[in-house]
Amino acid sequence: VEVIIQTDTHLIHGYIHARHNQRLKDELNANEQFLAVTDAEIINEDGEPHYTPGFIAVNRDKIVWILPKVELEEQEEQEPTDG
């Protein structure tokens, strides 16, 4: 699942690999301390990729929110355009 993750200090784009037949929420509620994120991009304050590791383990205690990117794209498609 392609996601955007806000931690205490960073914004991360990447993929969380949910187990077969599980929701993203189920994966987030797993008992493991770290959440595996692949094809990650750590975004700087200007919105540009600062670092692009192929893999990063994110401490679940530091996650503020997670947004599936498809939901953001769907919302952008529904927003009215000017003109």
Side-chain angles (χ1 to χ4, degrees), residues 7 12 33-38 40 53-60 63:
T7 68
I12 302 169
Q33 182 64 37
F34 291 89
L35 180 65
V37 180
T38 59
F55 169 83
I56 187 169
V58 179
N59 187 326
R60 293 172 190 268
I63 295 172

Side-chain angles (χ1 to χ4, degrees), residues 21-77:
N21 291 331
Q22 281 194 337
R23 303 172 299 169
L24 178 58
K25 183 177 183 304
D26 296 330
E27 189 64 30
L28 296 174
N29 287 333
N31 290 329
E32 299 165 357
Q33 182 64 37
F34 291 89
L35 180 65
V37 180
T38 59
D39 296 324
E41 291 183 332
I42 300 171
I43 308 301
N44 66 19
E45 291 109 18
D46 297 326
E48 299 295 323
H50 175 67
Y51 185 64
T52 55
F55 169 83
I56 187 169
V58 179
N59 187 326
R60 293 172 190 268
D61 292 340
K62 300 299 180 182
I63 295 172
V64 177
W65 53 261
I66 295 181
L67 174 68
K69 191 162 183 203
V70 68
E71 290 186 20
L72 180 63
E73 291 167 349
E74 288 172 358
Q75 182 177 354
E76 288 173 349
E77 289 175 2

